[in-house]
Amino acid sequence: MKNIVLLGSTGSIGTQTLDVIEKNPGLGRICALAARGSQLDLFAEQIRKYRPSIAVVYEEEAYWKLKQRLSDVPTRLLWGMQGLLEAVSMEEAELVVTALVGMIGLEPTVRAIQCGKDIALANKETLVCAGELIMKLARQKRVAMLPVDSEHGAIFQCLDQKPAAAVSSIILTASGGPFRGKKQEDLRAITREEALRHPNWVMGQKITIDSATLFNKGLEMIEARWLFDKRPEQIQVVVHPQSIVHSMVEFTDGSILAQMGTPDMRLPIEAAIAYPSRGGQVAPPLELIHCPPLTFEAVDEETFPAVALARHAMKRGGLFPAVLNAANEKAVAEFLQLRIGFLDIYRRVEEALSAFERCTVRRDAYTLEDVLDVVSWVESFWKAGDSH
């Protein structure tokens, strides 16, 4: 029974995490919940149901609304970044599930590691933007970094403490998203609704758009590079439309281990929370005789340049992955607001990377403050571009 802090409890990963714990009550107890105020009704329901010691909402206005609504609940309510930092620092907390979307998850993850808490990581930005710093700190504090992503969770299970020298490459699988097989000309008129229609997974809006552009896979490449301590050239991506093989590891003798399962995020969530044990059944089992044929394809990097852009940022290192992430985050937000087109997401990210390449203030050695400054740099770059 682990004492769990859940950051991002109203999102897709957060609600499924609570479902996993409800189906396996012996896995853990919720001691703190945190969320943004966009789904205040759901968050209030969660607080009433799980009665955490602390609940944090990011926005001050939402905090005051919750205060009135939950006046009869003994949970201590907090708000803002300071509230998140206090929640992950709780003495009784043992595992922090970081399911907040975006750069907001970075500082709480760092604080949790500093406090010696194990991390179940569902926030890609943490390792994409500051992987070198985060993993160095985790090693110093002897903190477990348990991946919640289906792909990284699959790799984690395949490696299972095997010698690092025995690993030849890591092979991330991608569904190909809703536009697999299309060419760039087909993508010019793609609508917001079409991009949000994923064929296999039910996810939040941002990650669904990332899956459509394949930036999700690009970010996962960078995350895998740090999480599993591999060189950029050891990270591969293949398209696997059925989403049954969640990722693979190739060893130096040529053999490949794959982790398979139904496309249900509750499986990798449970694997992370229960580690090193296994929980009970939380999703329908994979019935092999009823599986469709399993196919694998190369990524069409000309139509979907996200993987190539991420590979470039990963090889360049330093703050370049943080620029890639922040520019993509901004571009996706603007696409969802109908301010730019689908293909403009790639264009704006590439422009940001090129501009940063020319920037005299760039640094290969960086601090956490430098990573956070990248967001401001991208905002300034964006405004400069909009003014022309």
Side-chain angles (χ1 to χ4, degrees), residues 215 309 312-313 316 319-331 344-362 374-385:
F215 264 113
L309 289 169
H312 168 73
R316 184 61 184 82
L319 290 169
F320 278 82
V323 173
L324 175 98
N325 177 78
N328 176 62
E329 200 168 300
K330 179 72 173 174
D344 292 326
I345 298 173
Y346 301 117
R347 178 178 61 82
R348 293 310 302 264
V349 172
E350 186 171 14
E351 288 172 351
L353 288 171
S354 296
F356 195 69
E357 186 75 56
R358 300 189 298 269
C359 183
T360 56
V361 298
R362 72 176 188 269
V374 162
V375 178
S376 299
W377 184 90
V378 168
E379 285 287 346
S380 300
F381 161 78
W382 212 272
K383 288 175 183 176

Side-chain angles (χ1 to χ4, degrees), residues 22 28 41 45 58 63 68 80 88 117 128 164 178 226 228-229 238 241-242 273 305 340 365 379:
E22 196 163 317
D41 289 344
E45 287 176 20
Y58 195 67
Y63 163 79
Q68 288 182 322
V88 301
K117 316 299 183 185
V128 170
W226 294 114
F228 304 112
D229 192 23
V238 298
Q242 297 80 25
I273 293 175
I340 65 174
E379 285 287 346

Side-chain angles (χ1 to χ4, degrees), residues 2 4-5 7 88 94-99 105-123 126-127 134-135 137-138 141-148 156 223 227 271-273 275:
K2 298 175 182 177
I4 297 171
V5 175
L7 307 183
V88 301
E94 297 167 283
L95 177 70
V96 177
V97 180
T98 61
L106 182 56
E107 288 184 83
T109 304
V110 170
R111 176 64 63 84
I113 295 171
Q114 289 171 335
C115 293
K117 316 299 183 185
D118 288 337
I119 306 297
L121 187 67
N123 175 270
T126 296
L127 292 188
I134 294 293
M135 295 308 294
L137 181 61
K141 296 293 182 177
R142 297 184 179 179
V143 161
M145 296 292 288
L146 305 165
V148 169
F156 186 80
E223 189 179 3
L227 191 58
I273 293 175
Y275 182 82

Side-chain angles (χ1 to χ4, degrees), residues 299-341:
V299 175
D300 180 356
E301 294 190 14
E302 185 175 339
T303 303
F304 301 96
V307 170
L309 289 169
R311 189 182 297 113
H312 168 73
M314 179 168 55
K315 288 182 176 179
R316 184 61 184 82
L319 290 169
F320 278 82
V323 173
L324 175 98
N325 177 78
N328 176 62
E329 200 168 300
K330 179 72 173 174
V332 169
E334 298 231 327
F335 173 72
L336 288 170
Q337 295 163 12
L338 308 180
R339 297 185 61 186
I340 65 174

Side-chain angles (χ1 to χ4, degrees), residues 27-218:
L27 281 183
R29 166 191 167 269
I30 297 296
C31 61
L33 292 172
R36 285 188 177 273
S38 54
Q39 297 191 62
L40 210 56
D41 289 344
L42 175 58
F43 193 43
E45 287 176 20
Q46 291 175 342
I47 294 169
R48 283 193 179 278
K49 181 173 183 177
Y50 295 98
R51 300 293 175 116
S53 301
I54 291 177
V56 186
V57 67
Y58 195 67
E59 300 83 359
E60 184 179 9
E61 182 181 352
Y63 163 79
W64 290 110
K65 289 179 181 178
L66 273 181
K67 250 319 205 193
Q68 288 182 322
R69 194 178 301 188
L70 300 173
S71 58
D72 60 324
V73 176
T75 295
R76 184 172 167 229
L77 296 178
L78 302 170
W79 71 276
M81 181 56 70
Q82 193 56 44
L84 294 175
L85 297 178
E86 190 165 339
V88 301
S89 305
M90 294 175 63
E91 186 176 350
E92 66 265 38
E94 297 167 283
L95 177 70
V96 177
V97 180
T98 61
L100 289 166
V101 176
M103 292 285 283
I104 183 178
L106 182 56
E107 288 184 83
T109 304
V110 170
R111 176 64 63 84
I113 295 171
Q114 289 171 335
C115 293
K117 316 299 183 185
D118 288 337
I119 306 297
L121 187 67
N123 175 270
K124 284 183 174 55
E125 291 79 7
T126 296
L127 292 188
V128 170
C129 298
E132 188 172 7
L133 296 178
I134 294 293
M135 295 308 294
K136 181 179 179 181
L137 181 61
R139 287 190 295 270
Q140 289 173 347
K141 296 293 182 177
R142 297 184 179 179
V143 161
M145 296 292 288
L146 305 165
V148 169
D149 274 353
S150 63
E151 295 82 0
H152 298 93
I155 295 161
F156 186 80
Q157 292 175 67
C158 289
L159 289 172
D160 194 23
Q161 300 183 343
K162 293 177 176 63
V167 177
S168 176
S169 66
I170 284 169
I171 305 169
L172 297 166
T173 55
S175 70
F179 309 130
R180 183 177 67 89
K182 293 186 180 296
K183 297 299 179 184
Q184 279 230 342
E185 191 57 40
D186 304 321
L187 302 181
R188 294 191 187 284
I190 288 298
T191 66
R192 178 181 182 272
E193 289 67 31
E194 289 171 325
L196 286 171
R197 208 174 294 138
H198 195 280
N200 298 341
W201 299 92
V202 177
M203 305 175 288
Q205 287 192 341
K206 199 270 182 180
I207 193 171
T208 303
I209 299 301
D210 281 349
S211 185
T213 60
L214 292 195
F215 264 113
N216 193 39
K217 214 50 53 179

